[in-house]
Amino acid sequence: PYSTNLYLGNLPREIDEDMLLGEFAKFGPVASVKIMWPREGEENRLRSALSGFVAFMTRSSAEKAKEEMDGKVLFRHDLRVGWGKSVTLPSKPIWPLADEEVEEEEEEGRPRADRRGDWLMNGVQSVALPAPEPKPGVPEVVVTFPEDQRVMALVDTLARYVAEDGYAFERAVMDRERDTDDFAFLLDADCPEHQYYRWRVFSLAQGDTLSRWRTDPFVMIAGGLRWTPPDPDKRPCEFVAPAIIVKTSGSDEMRLVESDMDTFEDLLRHLTIERCDIEEGMAFALDHAEAAQDVAEILTEALVLLETPVPMKVARLFLVSDILHNCGAPIKNASAYRGAFQEKLPYIFESLEETHRGLSSRITREAFKKRVMMVTAAWADWFLFADEFLKGLESTFTRGGLSTTPTLPAEEAETLRLEIDAMDPGECERTCRMRGLIADGGPVACAKRLINLETYTRVTS
């Protein structure tokens, strides 16, 4: 009950023990670090994520690390942190070093602080350098919260995506939203919102969260500006739900009238993959963007019907893709389609998997697979959804083309089941949504979907 040993799940394959120590050393003296590397001969089925353990010298350090690191993103992997079995602690921690070890390293010309810098520079983060007291005339950036809470929510959400997906995502948003007032701060380096955005991206990349962050002044690069983060206690109490590229439905949301529903349903019944048909459906969707939820619902219901012929399923999927491609168009409420379809896509791809599984002709099956995978590849190029979400959709679909159900060795399967069973119900449902899976049916159903997905991913990797 008083274990100081943390179990780490979903570790990226790019990480090693030194980098892992660098991530956890800030929480207190570390007793041991271990990554569970695959055994010799398992290279052919090297799992997409690893697991490991970090043991602390004190329970309080372990509790703080668990609270801060659970859910943190490392190399696009959401870290899962839980309690592991108690382990025997050494007489001295492996970090920080004892005084005599520090002196030895400094005598060799390598200060203690350099070691942690090396670990972090090998990972996804850069290192925040302590900031000295500013000299007269030296520029200083004092970060302040945006006055408009909606703008702050927008900036926070964009910063979270950029911290995870990097400069390419930021560039995609800048290109798409160049003429949008909401994103004007990206092009104005001197405005307070831009300074808040730059600090927020850097802070999240350092391991901070949207609600808790370090407040000590720092410099991003040696010789650069001194940055002073905002005071968390002065953050506005009210917080608007974030929206990025997608605007959540609000007072402008409307419903399709019956005549419009009939028109759209008739259009879907006669839809083909011809360019003119897809364009007609896409034009209807943009013209009725204020009713994005209804349009997405009708299109999804039409797409998931089992009796729908394969060519028509493909045509309707192409229409979904065209609507998503144009959700950044300068049309009121068009951006709402991304959020509307993100909720529906797990259901759509479950249906596509059933269709894929039911095709008896190998040629038809391969042609169907090629077209569906072409769509998800386009979504990845357009930065519509997180990679993990898209990979979940793809795995759900391609699983339908297998002649047998993937299985893991009994020991590995039991370990996987225990890992997922240890998740609380809310976390289990959130993980399903994040990984492109249906989150309905309660924790048991969600856990089963996660086990099936992880099993398939490991067996086919």
Side-chain angles (χ1 to χ4, degrees):
Y2 298 105
S3 173
T4 64
N5 189 30
L6 296 179
Y7 168 79
L8 313 179
N10 204 35
L11 287 172
R13 288 163 54 181
E14 297 88 341
I15 205 164
D16 59 27
E17 278 87 352
D18 281 349
M19 294 163 63
L20 201 57
L21 177 57
E23 293 289 342
F24 282 83
K26 58 190 174 185
F27 299 106
V30 177
S32 63
V33 176
K34 183 178 182 180
I35 293 177
M36 307 301 290
W37 300 105
R39 294 189 295 271
E40 186 177 355
E42 290 188 335
E43 289 82 1
N44 290 335
R45 58 185 184 85
L46 184 63
R47 63 185 62 180
S48 60
L50 302 168
S51 59
F53 297 89
V54 173
F56 286 88
M57 298 297 289
T58 65
R59 175 76 177 192
S60 60
S61 297
E63 289 176 344
K64 185 176 181 182
K66 180 178 181 297
E67 179 184 356
E68 294 285 344
M69 296 298 288
D70 188 29
K72 180 182 176 181
V73 176
L74 295 178
F75 291 100
R76 298 191 179 184
H77 283 236
D78 289 308
L79 193 61
R80 297 200 301 270
V81 182
W83 291 110
K85 293 182 179 179
S86 298
V87 295
T88 303
L89 300 179
S91 58
K92 294 181 180 180
I94 63 171
W95 186 265
L97 302 176
D99 291 342
E100 57 268 23
E101 292 176 277
V102 175
E103 292 172 1
E104 287 176 7
E105 287 202 349
E106 291 179 345
E107 287 175 3
E108 293 172 0
R110 190 170 189 211
R112 168 183 177 181
D114 287 349
R115 289 187 56 182
R116 186 166 185 270
D118 285 349
W119 294 325
L120 296 183
M121 289 301 287
N122 287 329
V124 296
Q125 302 176 345
S126 55
V127 182
L129 304 174
E133 288 299 318
K135 298 178 181 179
V138 174
E140 180 175 7
V141 178
V142 179
V143 181
T144 57
F145 294 109
E147 294 181 1
D148 188 331
Q149 292 183 37
R150 190 184 65 83
V151 172
M152 184 173 73
L154 183 71
V155 174
D156 283 347
T157 309
L158 175 61
R160 180 166 58 84
Y161 278 103
V162 173
E164 295 175 8
D165 295 328
Y167 174 73
F169 185 88
E170 180 186 71
R171 174 54 57 186
V173 173
M174 291 176 69
D175 290 343
R176 175 175 291 184
E177 306 292 340
R178 183 173 298 275
D179 299 323
T180 304
D181 290 341
D182 284 345
F183 291 89
F185 68 88
L186 284 173
L187 305 175
D188 185 358
D190 296 325
C191 72
E193 291 80 9
H194 184 87
Q195 295 171 352
Y196 175 81
Y197 165 71
R198 284 191 61 194
W199 161 74
R200 187 57 104 177
V201 172
F202 188 81
S203 170
L204 292 171
Q206 292 294 313
D208 295 340
T209 69
L210 290 175
S211 58
R212 301 181 65 177
W213 58 83
R214 285 161 281 192
T215 58
D216 295 334
F218 66 92
V219 293
M220 293 186 187
I221 57 174
L225 299 176
R226 170 188 167 105
W227 290 73
T228 300
D231 184 350
D233 294 334
K234 295 182 180 179
R235 181 177 180 165
C237 296
E238 297 295 327
F239 188 66
V240 179
I244 172 172
I245 302 178
V246 179
K247 297 177 182 177
T248 55
S249 300
S251 57
D252 291 335
E253 182 182 356
M254 295 177 62
R255 305 298 303 271
L256 283 178
V257 298
E258 188 171 348
S259 59
D260 288 334
M261 287 185 182
D262 292 341
T263 299
F264 191 45
E265 289 170 355
D266 185 63
L267 185 154
L268 294 177
R269 278 193 292 271
H270 298 90
L271 189 68
T272 71
I273 60 173
E274 292 295 327
R275 187 69 242 168
C276 58
D277 284 355
I278 302 296
E279 287 177 351
E280 183 182 359
M282 186 265 294
F284 178 93
L286 293 182
D287 287 343
H288 298 82
E290 72 281 355
Q293 290 291 342
D294 280 353
V295 173
E297 182 73 32
I298 293 171
L299 181 48
T300 299
E301 289 179 358
L303 212 162
V304 301
L305 291 173
L306 288 177
E307 60 270 22
T308 303
V310 170
M312 190 166 290
K313 270 189 180 287
V314 172
R316 291 170 180 174
L317 180 63
F318 283 2
L319 176 56
V320 171
S321 187
D322 251 41
I323 294 172
L324 287 171
H325 185 251
N326 287 280
C327 68
I331 297 174
K332 187 175 181 180
N333 296 316
S335 58
Y337 277 113
R338 180 176 173 273
F341 277 113
Q342 186 165 0
E343 297 175 0
K344 310 295 183 185
L345 285 175
Y347 300 91
I348 290 173
F349 275 74
E350 284 273 4
S351 172
L352 294 175
E353 186 243 353
E354 291 185 47
T355 301
H356 193 200
R357 190 184 300 278
L359 295 175
S360 56
S361 167
R362 183 182 62 84
I363 295 176
T364 304
R365 189 164 57 245
E366 287 301 315
F368 183 55
K369 177 181 177 181
K370 181 179 179 181
R371 283 178 162 168
V372 174
M373 299 302 286
M374 180 176 64
V375 168
T376 58
W379 293 347
D381 291 341
W382 301 336
F383 300 100
L384 281 171
F385 307 108
D387 286 348
E388 193 170 24
F389 181 84
L390 287 176
K391 288 177 182 176
L393 297 179
E394 291 175 349
S395 297
T396 296
F397 170 71
T398 54
R399 196 170 61 232
L402 301 179
S403 57
T404 59
T405 302
T407 57
L408 294 172
E411 183 179 350
E412 187 176 356
E414 179 64 14
T415 301
L416 173 61
R417 186 186 66 79
L418 292 175
E419 287 180 12
I420 293 178
D421 285 348
M423 301 168 67
D424 65 64
E427 180 186 5
C428 194
E429 292 182 5
R430 287 193 299 272
T431 304
C432 276
R433 293 190 186 95
M434 181 178 63
R435 301 191 67 177
L437 302 176
I438 295 174
D440 295 344
V444 175
C446 287
K448 183 178 180 180
R449 294 185 188 105
L450 289 172
I451 290 173
N452 289 340
L453 174 60
E454 189 65 21
T455 299
Y456 172 80
T457 302
R458 294 183 185 185
V459 170
T460 58
S461 61

